[in-house]
Amino acid sequence: MVVDLMKNGLKWGISSAFAIASLTILSKYLLQYFSAGWLILASGLGIILLLKKTKKNWNTCKGWSKKEWKLVFALAMLSGAYNICFFLGLNFLPASIVAMLLGLQPLLLILRTCQIEKRKPIALEAASGLSAVTGACLILGVRFQQYSLIGIVCGIGALVFATNESILTGRMREKINASEAVFAKQLSKILFGFIGILMWSKTPASTPSSIAILWILLIIIGGLSVLTSFTVSKTAFTLPPLPFENIILLNMPIVAFFDIWFFNDYLHPAQWLGVFLIAASAIIGICSGEERLCAI
């Protein structure tokens, strides 16, 4: 049973890594033409794909207790706050740097998990966290003065919200299923997207022949987002927190490669070493043997 869960978790985790990398790179490209609010709203449009399950989900929701409603609301707010910080971070920083900041999740997860379970980190947890922190210091420290402080603050915000969202998602596995979690997250993206558009309303200023393609790509963001939310939720329901986040971190080398290819960003050799160390922390975390947190 445990082996089957791990195999399924690895399958969903690898799918999530590729989906997150695709979403990150496409979002970085579209932020040249659209404000963050538009991308957040577009990332919530995938809710259309879930509407056929709305009646079934609502029948389930009617049976929820006040505590379950509070948990789902907290999950939705964490997801929305993460998306605002994520897209704003992408607007001010290279995609590889945003991915790197999110790569610090193993450290926060280790600290939070040990706090919840009132224990000390096991050896591989500590090794994974140390590897991730060392990699992040190498990536950020080499060219720190060249990066936007606002972008770094947004990236750290995305890190904090994503970590807490991951822990809450995993602990709610006996309260809601993956599709219900995705539905709540998509609703929050629409809400935060409208708020973001009121604050930042940039759209393509001219009407070139490629304008239709840009709007089509924006819609594709919605499909990628709902796919990412679903695969991430399935992974979180299946794996312990550290292996869950670490396998998703495998998206970082993919993002770094395409960041250089598409956006001509330069990574110093020491920064590439940092990318390698974060990828290594992912592999260490996957093999950590950490048990799943008790469900709420």
Side-chain angles (χ1 to χ4, degrees), residues 4 18 79 89 99 129 134 158 170 192 196 222 226 229 254 267 271 295:
D4 289 338
F18 279 99
S79 176
T134 304
F192 279 81
V226 73
S229 292
I254 303 172
L267 286 184
Q271 290 179 300

Side-chain angles (χ1 to χ4, degrees), residues 203-222:
T203 55
S206 58
T207 55
S209 58
S210 60
I211 193 72
I213 296 177
L214 291 175
W215 284 97
I216 290 171
L217 289 175
L218 188 67
I219 293 172
I220 290 174
I221 287 284

Side-chain angles (χ1 to χ4, degrees), residues 144-160:
F144 181 79
Q145 294 181 342
Q146 299 179 26
Y147 298 130
S148 163
L149 180 59
I150 295 175
I152 292 174
V153 170
C154 290
I156 292 173
L159 165 66
V160 173

Side-chain angles (χ1 to χ4, degrees), residues 103-112 128-130 132-133 242:
L104 289 175
Q105 286 190 62
L107 176 62
L108 291 190
L109 275 168
I110 290 167
L111 296 175
R112 181 65 178 134
S128 176
L130 179 61
V133 170
L242 187 60

Side-chain angles (χ1 to χ4, degrees), residues 72-265:
V72 172
F73 178 78
L75 180 66
M77 292 301 100
L78 285 171
S79 176
Y82 159 74
N83 277 280
I84 278 196
C85 290
F86 173 73
F87 286 115
L88 285 178
L90 275 180
N91 191 54
F92 291 104
L93 294 173
S96 56
I97 299 303
V98 175
M100 177 279 300
L101 288 170
L102 292 174
L104 289 175
Q105 286 190 62
L107 176 62
L108 291 190
L109 275 168
I110 290 167
L111 296 175
R112 181 65 178 134
T113 301
C114 290
Q115 180 187 30
I116 291 172
E117 296 184 336
K118 298 179 180 179
R119 63 174 176 82
K120 295 180 179 180
I122 59 177
L124 286 180
E125 285 178 332
S128 176
L130 179 61
S131 182
V133 170
T134 304
C137 290
L138 285 172
I139 294 172
L140 194 60
V142 173
R143 298 162 58 195
F144 181 79
Q145 294 181 342
Q146 299 179 26
Y147 298 130
S148 163
L149 180 59
I150 295 175
I152 292 174
V153 170
C154 290
I156 292 173
L159 165 66
V160 173
F161 290 126
T163 302
N164 284 283
E165 178 192 338
S166 299
I167 290 174
L168 183 58
T169 301
R171 299 195 74 192
M172 289 174 63
R173 62 184 181 271
E174 293 183 5
K175 302 292 184 182
I176 62 175
N177 59 39
S179 64
E180 291 162 355
V182 172
F183 194 83
K185 293 177 185 179
Q186 295 298 107
L187 280 176
S188 75
K189 290 173 187 175
I190 292 175
L191 172 63
F192 279 81
F194 276 119
I195 294 173
I197 289 173
L198 293 175
M199 298 175 66
W200 313 285
S201 58
K202 184 180 81 172
T203 55
S206 58
T207 55
S209 58
S210 60
I211 193 72
I213 296 177
L214 291 175
W215 284 97
I216 290 171
L217 289 175
L218 188 67
I219 293 172
I220 290 174
I221 287 284
L224 273 174
S225 179
V226 73
L227 173 65
T228 300
S229 292
F230 181 74
T231 57
V232 166
S233 295
K234 291 288 286 186
T235 309
F237 285 159
T238 308
L239 294 178
L242 187 60
F244 157 58
E245 283 299 346
N246 274 279
I247 192 170
I248 288 177
L249 287 185
L250 294 176
N251 81 89
M252 187 178 171
I254 303 172
V255 171
F257 175 76
F258 282 98
D259 201 15
I260 293 172
W261 188 13
F262 287 147
F263 307 113
N264 298 316
D265 186 40

